[in-house]
Amino acid sequence: VGFTNRGAEALLRTRIMAIRKYIPNAEFYVLTVYKNSCKSIEDIEYIQTFGGQREKLNSFVYLLKSFFLAVLWSFDLVIFKLTKKCFSKNIRKISSSDAFISTDGDVLGEDYGFLPYIWRLYYLSIGLFLRKPVVIFSEGVGPFKSKLGKKISRIFFNKCAYISVRDKISYENLINLGIKSKIDIVPDSAFLLEKIDNDNLNYKKDNKVLVGIAVSELATKYGFKYKNEKNSYTGFIKFMAEISDYIIDKYDADIIFIPHVVQIQRDDYKTAQDICNLIKNNLRIKIANR
């Protein structure tokens, strides 16, 4: 999803960097539903996909068009496999790949629902269909809730060439599912991010302590409770404001809020501003821009 999601961009950048460390001349195609808003990464070509623009999922026309495109892509893949020819340039590019690698973080499971999960598996399964190795790269995987979801997941993950997950819960989700492949538990690839020397991004003043806080409105959608506050969002921003004031007072620290997602229907930059408005020491706060 490009720079509209800092977490997703961190995963994408670090995975490309890690692979290029061992394969310097590697070329990449990145599948995205937001091609027009993606900020290009070092010689990376983005391929527009379908079906996943969250702000359009209530549109029947969008869903119908996405279904139609899925049928066309699937038909073209079958033609390509049989004849090595196809109508779509995108299918031709995707089919030329030597491996298919995940870079989503937390969507390989039914936390966001069955259909969004199957939509994600569809693109990775193109690799299985073309008999290319499919690699699960440092993902958060699961949970698998429905009977159909479990059955599809068991088939898919057992066919993957290599699986690594970033936490023990994901490991246990796969073991309980009956995955027989070797599964490694590894750090989140975002820890591979390197420091960039850029004065515009230098929020540290003198020798003061600087604390970075990732701000995410999504936390309020999953049963967030704080004291007697009935509204989860209001409770969240009050909680974050109190935490921030405590950090400033306790450690004489400055704080930089880092909005996690900045999209049409979800703007964590606004959430950061809402928190900042409640902080007593808000002169010690900076918000990373969009």
Side-chain angles (χ1 to χ4, degrees):
V1 293
F3 69 95
T4 61
N5 184 317
R6 295 180 193 271
E9 186 184 11
L11 297 181
L12 179 61
R13 285 182 176 273
T14 51
R15 290 171 194 198
I16 288 172
M17 182 187 73
I19 293 168
R20 278 185 167 162
K21 180 178 180 181
Y22 297 98
I23 314 172
N25 296 323
E27 296 179 351
F28 297 87
Y29 293 122
V30 174
L31 276 60
T32 176
V33 291
Y34 291 107
K35 182 180 178 182
N36 292 335
S37 64
C38 282
K39 189 176 181 181
S40 184
I41 301 176
E42 310 94 29
D43 303 322
I44 305 305
E45 182 174 346
Y46 290 88
I47 294 176
Q48 180 72 34
T49 62
F50 45 85
Q53 292 192 24
R54 189 180 297 256
E55 67 276 7
K56 294 183 179 180
L57 292 181
N58 291 326
S59 167
F60 177 76
V61 174
Y62 176 74
L63 293 175
L64 189 64
K65 182 180 177 182
S66 297
F67 176 77
F68 179 70
L69 287 172
V71 172
L72 286 182
W73 273 41
S74 301
F75 177 76
D76 223 10
L77 281 164
V78 172
I79 297 299
F80 180 84
K81 190 170 183 179
L82 293 174
T83 67
K84 300 302 177 186
K85 297 179 181 179
C86 59
F87 300 104
S88 168
K89 291 189 297 183
N90 288 336
I91 295 298
R92 195 175 302 118
K93 291 174 182 177
I94 293 170
S95 300
S96 71
S97 301
D98 295 299
F100 285 65
I101 300 173
S102 67
T103 178
D104 281 320
D106 67 347
V107 297
L108 294 181
E110 294 182 71
D111 256 341
Y112 298 108
F114 176 75
L115 289 179
Y117 173 45
I118 296 302
W119 168 68
R120 297 283 182 167
L121 284 190
Y122 171 81
Y123 295 109
L124 285 170
S125 296
I126 292 174
L128 298 180
F129 180 76
L130 295 172
R131 297 187 180 279
K132 306 289 180 75
V134 175
V135 175
I136 306 303
F137 193 143
S138 181
E139 297 285 346
V141 176
F144 311 106
K145 300 175 181 178
S146 65
K147 288 184 179 179
L148 183 58
K150 290 177 181 178
K151 187 173 183 178
I152 293 172
S153 301
R154 192 176 297 114
I155 295 170
F156 172 79
F157 286 107
N158 273 322
K159 290 184 177 293
C160 289
Y162 174 69
I163 300 174
S164 63
V165 295
R166 61 186 184 180
D167 57 84
K168 291 182 179 179
I169 294 175
S170 295
Y171 177 84
E172 291 168 0
N173 285 337
L174 290 173
I175 293 299
N176 293 335
L177 194 63
I179 304 307
K180 299 176 182 178
S181 306
K182 183 178 184 293
I183 305 165
D184 287 325
I185 302 177
V186 300
D188 189 304
S189 70
F191 285 109
L192 298 173
L193 280 172
E194 296 177 344
K195 181 181 177 182
I196 295 177
D197 292 321
N198 185 331
D199 289 338
N200 294 326
L201 299 176
N202 185 11
Y203 294 97
K204 196 172 179 68
K205 297 177 182 177
D206 304 322
N207 292 317
K208 285 191 176 297
V209 174
L210 178 66
V211 177
I213 299 179
V215 178
S216 177
E217 181 201 359
L218 193 63
T220 70
K221 303 290 176 61
Y222 288 86
F224 188 89
K225 301 292 183 185
Y226 183 59
K227 295 183 177 178
N228 296 321
E229 184 59 56
K230 294 181 180 180
N231 184 289
S232 61
Y233 182 79
T234 303
F236 176 74
I237 62 174
K238 285 182 178 179
F239 174 73
M240 295 297 286
E242 290 185 25
I243 288 285
S244 300
D245 275 322
Y246 173 82
I247 291 171
I248 293 168
D249 292 337
K250 178 77 174 179
Y251 301 104
D252 189 26
D254 291 328
I255 291 178
I256 171 70
F257 283 142
I258 305 166
H260 188 80
V261 171
V262 180
Q263 293 174 347
I264 295 172
Q265 289 189 337
R266 180 178 156 209
D267 188 348
D268 290 336
Y269 185 81
K270 179 184 180 302
T271 301
Q273 290 177 316
D274 290 342
I275 297 168
C276 194
N277 291 338
L278 297 179
I279 294 173
K280 299 173 186 174
N281 301 294
N282 58 19
L283 293 179
R284 304 293 295 272
I285 307 289
K286 294 285 186 182
I287 303 174
N289 66 32
R290 287 178 171 84

